[in-house]
Amino acid sequence: MVQIGYTMMTEQAGPRDLVNHLVQAEEAGFDFSVTSDHYFPWLRSQGHASYAWSVLGAAAQATSRIPLMTYVTCPILRYHPAIVAQKAATVQLLSEGRFRLGLGAGENLNEHVVGGGWPPVDVRHEMLEEAVQIIRALFEGGHVTHHGQHYDVESARLWDLPQEAPPIGLAVSGEQSCRLAGHLADLVIATEPKPGLLEAFDRHGGSGKPRVGQLPVCFDTDRERAVKRAHSQFRWFGLGWKVNAELPHPDSFEAATQFVTEDDVASAIPCGDDPEAFVEAVRPYVEAGFGEVALVQIGGDSQQEFIDWSAKTLLPALREAFA
């Protein structure tokens, strides 16, 4: 059966609300959860960007069953990989083994805040590969000293290590990232149901490893209201990651999406309260080979209604369709 996840989107709700929503999602029966890790929202209309790792620590204590995962953390600029390893090990301990560390090459939107410029994608992938090597070395225990092309680590050690290290997932969007994920990652992460991505992942060593996708949705009993909310907060989604990774500020995304219409958004994101529309939106992920799909309900103020509807209607419909 395909696992259906819940997304804590730090860009659209404050930290206390994010944790409360996750508690409700666990009670509603979602199979797993993921959280974004942003310094800025995509658009000003989203209005939030709390520190994901504090939210994860609180979520680990407030829940008891639901798995947790970063979707995704960038360990190349804003965070040094040695610090990412420490954070991940701590969350794994707090959650008693429920945590997976999702990593990616990041977006200028979040990483520009520490200065130093935004490297080209080839360099970002080099940095990501080296970062993963450092994180894995620290997960193994003992002191780590590393002087590489992009990072220095001087006699670092994780003093609180879980018995089982968090599995590492890598986000993919093309051949180069699939090559990295295939030989470096324990699982693969993607936000598009492109079969070619998973085929490339398998070709580079990923065969048999879990695949986790993500899908934006916008539940509302008034479909027109859902479409307007999706357009207001999520019209950036259709730009694609080659664009999304490069723009430096929410105002850049405002400008880049000024001609995106409500019809454009409604054709790409299921809106309203027809469960069949949501089932059909999940179907391409299942057919592409994803065993897990995390849903992102658009709008921080609409989470309670979405979770209630999911428990009664959506989750049963998805499980019946993809059992």
Side-chain angles (χ1 to χ4, degrees):
M1 182 177 290
V2 174
Q3 303 290 294
I4 303 299
Y6 175 81
T7 299
M8 290 191 291
M9 193 173 190
T10 60
E11 305 94 291
Q12 65 177 15
R16 293 182 64 87
D17 284 339
L18 289 167
V19 175
N20 289 334
H21 296 156
L22 184 63
V23 170
Q24 295 160 9
E26 181 180 58
E27 293 172 354
F30 281 90
D31 298 310
F32 70 101
S33 70
V34 303
T35 183
S36 57
D37 185 353
H38 271 240
Y39 203 95
F40 271 72
W42 298 99
L43 297 168
R44 289 178 180 270
S45 57
Q46 292 178 312
H48 295 275
S50 56
Y51 183 53
W53 291 88
S54 295
V55 173
L56 282 166
Q61 295 298 285
T63 59
S64 60
R65 172 194 61 81
I66 195 165
L68 309 170
M69 181 180 180
T70 47
Y71 205 97
V72 293
T73 285
C74 176
I76 69 171
L77 286 175
R78 184 166 45 116
Y79 304 138
H80 189 284
I83 305 304
V84 173
Q86 184 188 34
K87 294 190 288 192
T90 298
V91 173
Q92 180 75 320
L93 288 167
L94 286 171
S95 65
E96 298 182 299
R98 290 183 282 137
F99 180 64
R100 294 181 291 180
L101 176 60
L103 301 175
E107 299 96 19
N108 196 10
L109 176 69
N110 302 303
E111 306 307 309
H112 78 270
V113 298
V114 296
W118 184 232
V121 65
D122 288 354
V123 175
R124 299 201 302 268
H125 284 151
E126 287 177 4
M127 297 172 76
L128 179 60
E129 183 170 14
E130 189 174 338
V132 172
Q133 292 167 353
I134 292 168
I135 292 167
R136 286 206 183 276
L138 285 163
F139 282 170
E140 290 174 2
H143 288 81
V144 173
T145 295
H146 172 93
H147 300 293
Q149 183 176 358
H150 300 287
Y151 303 105
D152 290 307
V153 180
E154 197 67 55
S155 191
R157 177 184 172 184
L158 300 182
W159 287 87
D160 288 283
L161 267 175
Q163 279 193 325
E164 189 173 322
I168 293 177
L170 286 188
V172 299
S173 59
E175 183 73 22
Q176 194 175 75
S177 54
C178 286
R179 179 187 61 80
L180 287 178
H183 79 268
L184 287 177
D186 303 306
L187 58 136
V188 69
I189 293 163
T191 57
E192 296 176 283
K194 293 181 178 178
L197 290 177
L198 299 186
E199 291 166 5
F201 176 62
D202 288 345
R203 192 165 58 249
H204 292 293
S207 182
K209 296 177 182 179
R211 300 112 214 275
V212 187
Q214 189 181 53
L215 170 70
V217 301
C218 197
F219 164 78
D220 199 296
T221 53
D222 183 328
R223 186 175 185 277
E224 182 178 346
R225 186 167 57 201
V227 171
K228 288 184 179 299
R229 184 168 68 243
H231 180 264
S232 171
Q233 297 193 24
F234 236 84
R235 63 185 181 274
W236 57 271
F237 188 74
L239 294 174
W241 289 108
K242 287 186 177 180
V243 176
N244 289 343
E246 303 298 332
L247 299 181
H249 194 274
D251 292 347
S252 307
F253 284 90
E254 295 281 355
T257 59
Q258 61 182 310
F259 299 115
V260 177
T261 68
E262 290 183 3
D263 286 343
D264 293 331
V265 172
S267 67
I269 296 172
C271 296
D273 63 351
D274 178 6
E276 277 306 305
F278 288 66
V279 168
E280 290 310 306
V282 171
R283 190 177 302 281
Y285 287 85
V286 178
E287 293 177 346
F290 288 88
E292 303 175 54
V293 182
L295 305 181
V296 188
Q297 165 64 6
I298 299 170
D301 294 338
S302 67
Q303 299 300 307
Q304 180 65 68
E305 293 80 7
F306 168 70
I307 292 168
D308 290 345
W309 178 71
S310 295
K312 296 174 184 175
T313 304
L314 180 58
L315 291 176
L318 289 169
R319 286 168 182 151
E320 181 179 358
F322 304 120

